[in-house]
Amino acid sequence: MATLPALDDSTFDEAIKSSGEPVLVDFGATWCGPCRQLAPIVEGIAKDYAGKVKVFAVDIDQAPKTAQRFGIRSVPTLILFKGGEKAGQIMGLTSRDKIVKQLGL
């Protein structure tokens, strides 16, 4: 998993709803190879766009209720939230450019 701030079932809602910035959540798992490949890309976006977007990680094994609530059936899955509401989703290993385009940055 990424070295991003981690959210779980008890912290997810507050982190998403309290943000004045768009929030990108990387849903993954420690056993997932593509998740490990995507992690440095997402971490780079978090660093490069600090102050414009907040980026968090959710380990689906540590947050099963949250994963179920958002219908996470495969990992990695990225979900973008704006104003506390789901605004976009990307499933699977993807490029930095596609993620940045989804963010609208």
Side-chain angles (χ1 to χ4, degrees):
M1 286 294 296
T3 57
L4 300 167
L7 300 176
D8 60 27
D9 290 334
S10 65
T11 59
F12 186 88
D13 287 332
E14 181 61 29
I16 301 305
K17 292 178 181 174
S18 68
S19 177
E21 303 163 337
V23 178
L24 181 65
V25 181
D26 180 4
F27 287 87
T30 56
W31 46 262
C32 168
C35 298
R36 289 190 298 272
Q37 290 177 285
L38 185 61
I41 296 169
V42 175
E43 290 167 358
I45 289 170
K47 180 181 174 188
D48 294 346
Y49 293 97
K52 295 181 182 179
V53 64
K54 289 188 179 180
V55 184
F56 296 100
V58 172
D59 184 322
I60 62 166
D61 294 326
Q62 303 299 317
K65 291 178 185 174
T66 301
Q68 182 179 17
R69 189 168 103 206
F70 289 99
I72 305 300
R73 298 201 190 319
S74 66
V75 287
T77 294
L78 301 173
I79 298 182
L80 174 64
F81 295 87
K82 292 184 179 178
E85 301 294 323
K86 183 177 172 182
Q89 178 172 319
I90 300 172
M91 294 174 54
L93 185 58
T94 190
S95 69
R96 176 186 170 90
D97 290 342
K98 186 172 180 181
I99 298 167
V100 171
K101 184 176 179 180
Q102 180 79 40
L103 292 172
L105 301 173

